[in-house]
Amino acid sequence: MGFTSRTVAELVRLRWDDHRPGLWFEGRCRTHHEVAAGAAARAALLRDLLPSGAEPHVGVLLDNTPEYPMWLGAAALSGAAVAGINPTRRGAELARDILHTECRVLVTERAHLPLLDGLDLPGVRLLVTDTPAYTDLLAPYAGASPDTADAAPERRLLLYFTSGSTGAPKAAICSQGRLAEAGRSLVDHFGVRADDVHYICMPLFHGNAVIADWAPALAAGAGVALRRRFSASGFLTDVRTYGATYFTYVGRAVQYVLATPARPDDRDNPLRVGFGTEAGAVDAAAFEARFGVRLVEGYGSTEGGAAIQRAPGTPRAAIGRAAPGDDLAVVDPVSREECPAALFSADGRLLNGHAAIGELVNRGPHRFEGYWRNAEAEAARRGHGRGPARPDAAADGDWYWTGDLFYRDADGFLYFAGRTDDRLRVDSENLAAAMIEDILARYGDATAAAVYAVPDPVAGDQVMAALALREGAAFDPGAFAGFLAGQADLGTKMAPRFVRIVPRMPVTATNKIHRVGLRRDGFRCADPVWWRPPGETAYRPLDDADLAGLLAEYRARGREDLPAGVGLGIPRDPR
């Protein structure tokens, strides 16, 4: 398919006068033209609402409703940027996200207004989409047509949050040109056609849904079907109702769909492909066997700096090889030297993890466009200050450092081996350990707290915390659960699943918390460990029966291939 559009705004304008069905939501269908007209009206409104001299940023705190893609289109047409605001954030941290991205307009809906109660948001104009006042405000702009005069490939279009070692979430920048290019690339890769329908059930405040689902649909002129929030029980019904052929996912969502009761007609659906991450080989095979739908796993840095593509012949435990154009290497972050290839024992155990595991780095051209107002994090991504100076420092000064740990086998296949100490991914949410530690530091009985990731039995991570208690204190699980419930800024994914009570916090020779050792022990350690089983709010001791059940679930879900060093005692099989 040939493309000439260099901006998302141009792609929106192409849908003007396209009267084919274009967007489905809760029983109503809008044409491509209606969606483009809605984007044009909102762009005209936004031009009038943004104060002179202000950053052209609009925060969007919405479920997956038609307003979301229309505001994405509006921002593109007006040369503005959308900051996707995560509704799982709470209190001061939620306010921080809105104010950090300098949003002068915040678009939300009545269901999310309680999240804003009591927040100090000076200078932020609130638009509540499902109210008469909003309808009246938009009415004068109903005749606007798509105007791309304010659009350019280099203009910011997305500010989407990703957590990292700096603690507070970082707002990654994505330009119109990069998003349009990503859409075109996925159209070519998956053969997306104008008569396809993309099912968007992942939240649009994440890059997964916008970059991998909405953008290729827009580029190809395909239709979009929205689900307000993901529903496992509603997944297949929606797919059939809308004739969906393509969707994106995260591993947890796939597991939820597989957990629904099987039916003889499950394979009777129009889906052609699913594209996402963290499904795992076992669940991907089960999904294809049950629904007849191929899941294509990929690794892509949210910031656009690196990508790995899975292809036929990829070993079961591997992610794949570097995407075309990327020069990916596994690098020792101290020496900046490339790590040696991984060596495996006969039973598949990684033998030289200490030497083979390093940080995944893109040494070639990349599309990382920086973070909003975070020069320190941006410099870290580009490798500044990492390791000693090298003779070719000028050459590697703009390498892209992913922050993810990998190892590479002799055939060049890349294997994920974990994240840096301060990063976790829970139910597709990126979290920063430092933020959770700050909250746990308020717990009166604790003198020190460390937060780190342990692998989830299905996909991603779970939060584990180590607590050192004040002298004479004993861990009270009820009091601790009550403390967590009372923290207004504790997001819905942040509460620890496992709590280890240590006599003293382990530290390194430089008196830093020894997180590597904590992660290596996981929940199999000599210290008492308490946990909250899935679906429960109370903590209880992790006993031998619980441990056996967890390990059986790891095996059943194909999670033998866990990050090296995590003390679960499960053999690895790279093939």
Side-chain angles (χ1 to χ4, degrees):
M1 182 180 292
F3 293 97
T4 58
S5 300
R6 298 185 305 146
T7 67
V8 173
E10 291 170 320
L11 294 173
V12 172
R13 187 173 60 183
L14 285 175
R15 306 279 70 84
W16 185 258
D17 277 338
D18 183 346
H19 297 282
R20 296 175 301 126
L23 189 151
W24 292 265
F25 177 73
E26 295 184 351
R28 179 182 171 185
C29 178
R30 293 168 173 82
T31 66
H32 288 288
H33 174 82
E34 288 177 306
V35 176
R42 286 155 181 77
L45 169 63
L46 187 60
R47 290 185 180 101
D48 285 349
L49 289 183
L50 286 173
S52 176
E55 293 292 346
H57 296 171
V58 53
V60 178
L61 176 61
L62 294 171
D63 290 336
N64 288 0
T65 69
E67 288 288 340
Y68 216 123
M70 285 193 283
W71 274 102
L72 289 171
L77 291 170
S78 61
V82 164
I85 306 300
N86 186 339
T88 70
R89 300 271 283 166
R90 294 293 185 272
E93 298 300 333
L94 177 62
R96 179 263 173 199
D97 292 351
I98 297 166
L99 297 176
H100 171 69
T101 46
E102 300 181 49
C103 296
R104 304 305 295 270
V105 175
L106 177 64
V107 181
T108 190
E109 54 192 309
R110 285 181 292 181
H112 290 320
L113 287 178
L115 298 177
L116 304 175
D117 286 347
L119 300 189
D120 185 17
L121 300 172
V124 179
R125 171 75 177 268
L126 195 65
L127 303 182
V128 185
T129 60
D130 48 352
T131 62
Y134 178 74
T135 303
D136 293 344
L137 189 65
L138 267 177
Y141 302 94
S145 59
D147 179 0
T148 61
D150 294 323
E154 65 275 9
R155 292 297 294 265
R156 291 188 301 276
L157 178 58
L158 300 178
L159 297 169
Y160 47 100
F161 286 99
T162 178
S163 297
S165 59
T166 55
K170 306 181 293 292
I173 296 170
C174 180
S175 66
Q176 291 215 29
R178 177 156 78 91
L179 187 57
E181 180 182 326
R184 295 193 300 265
S185 175
L186 288 171
V187 168
D188 290 338
H189 186 69
F190 289 111
V192 179
R193 306 182 302 263
D195 59 353
D196 278 321
V197 175
H198 285 212
Y199 180 51
I200 301 181
C201 55
M202 296 293 99
L204 280 161
F205 61 78
H206 272 172
N208 173 294
V210 175
I211 298 173
D213 214 342
W214 180 73
L218 183 66
V224 165
L226 296 177
R227 176 84 188 194
R228 182 180 291 273
R229 298 184 192 93
F230 171 74
S231 167
S233 61
F235 177 83
L236 197 55
T237 298
D238 281 352
V239 163
R240 289 167 172 162
T241 298
Y242 301 126
T245 55
Y246 173 104
F247 74 106
T248 58
Y249 63 84
V250 294
R252 179 67 70 179
V254 169
Q255 190 267 333
Y256 285 149
V257 173
L258 288 171
T260 61
R263 296 174 56 91
D265 63 348
D266 280 342
R267 294 174 70 91
D268 181 15
N269 68 77
L271 282 173
R272 187 172 72 250
V273 66
F275 177 50
T277 184
E278 296 181 348
V282 171
D283 282 350
F287 197 91
E288 184 168 8
R290 177 172 166 183
F291 298 104
V293 180
R294 179 174 59 105
L295 299 185
V296 178
E297 285 278 300
Y299 168 90
S301 168
T302 304
E303 296 89 338
I308 300 172
Q309 292 183 352
R310 191 175 185 89
T314 299
R316 181 174 62 86
I319 301 296
R321 288 191 173 109
D326 282 354
D327 177 16
L328 300 187
V330 178
V331 174
D332 184 313
V334 176
S335 69
R336 293 195 175 206
E337 298 289 345
E338 189 165 356
C339 297
L343 301 175
F344 301 98
S345 66
D347 66 353
R349 292 180 181 272
L350 180 64
L351 296 175
N352 62 337
H354 178 74
I357 294 174
E359 187 166 348
L360 186 69
V361 175
N362 188 355
R363 301 178 298 190
H366 54 79
R367 296 301 307 272
F368 174 54
E369 297 176 299
Y371 296 113
W372 180 252
R373 306 285 195 228
N374 198 332
E376 181 181 356
E378 188 169 325
R381 273 283 175 259
R382 300 185 187 280
H384 303 315
R386 295 185 186 228
R390 289 163 49 107
D392 56 346
D396 68 12
D398 197 34
W399 287 1
Y400 177 83
W401 296 69
T402 66
D404 289 326
L405 302 177
F406 275 77
Y407 54 97
R408 185 199 299 265
D409 67 19
D411 297 319
F413 289 103
L414 292 159
Y415 299 72
F416 180 68
R419 296 176 176 84
T420 54
D421 288 351
D422 199 45
R423 298 176 66 197
L424 307 89
R425 185 171 175 83
V426 180
D427 287 354
S428 81
E429 292 286 338
N430 289 319
L431 305 176
M435 291 176 55
I436 306 174
E437 287 173 355
D438 288 344
I439 295 172
L440 296 184
R442 305 169 194 159
Y443 186 52
D445 281 346
T447 59
V451 170
Y452 47 99
V454 293
D456 182 88
V458 176
D461 305 320
Q462 284 293 341
V463 180
M464 186 163 183
L467 297 179
L469 303 181
R470 61 178 174 80
E471 186 175 357
F475 182 69
D476 183 335
F480 184 71
F483 160 79
L484 294 177
Q487 307 309 303
D489 53 350
L490 186 74
T492 58
K493 311 295 185 184
M494 293 181 177
R497 172 62 55 82
F498 301 93
V499 180
R500 175 180 179 178
I501 306 302
V502 297
R504 64 189 61 83
M505 193 62 67
V507 297
T508 66
T510 56
N511 287 316
K512 295 181 179 179
I513 292 178
H514 189 33
R515 286 188 179 82
V516 172
L518 291 170
R519 287 192 302 161
R520 181 181 300 117
D521 291 343
F523 44 75
R524 299 187 73 180
C525 57
D527 296 319
V529 174
W530 298 73
W531 80 308
R532 291 182 306 110
E536 298 184 19
T537 57
Y539 286 87
R540 73 183 194 211
L542 181 72
D543 60 23
D544 290 343
D546 292 328
L547 183 60
L550 279 169
L551 296 183
E553 189 174 3
Y554 281 105
R555 292 190 178 95
R557 293 290 176 185
R559 295 281 278 168
E560 303 96 330
D561 308 303
L562 295 169
V566 176
L568 299 176
I570 302 176
R572 310 175 61 96
D573 177 7
R575 299 289 167 173

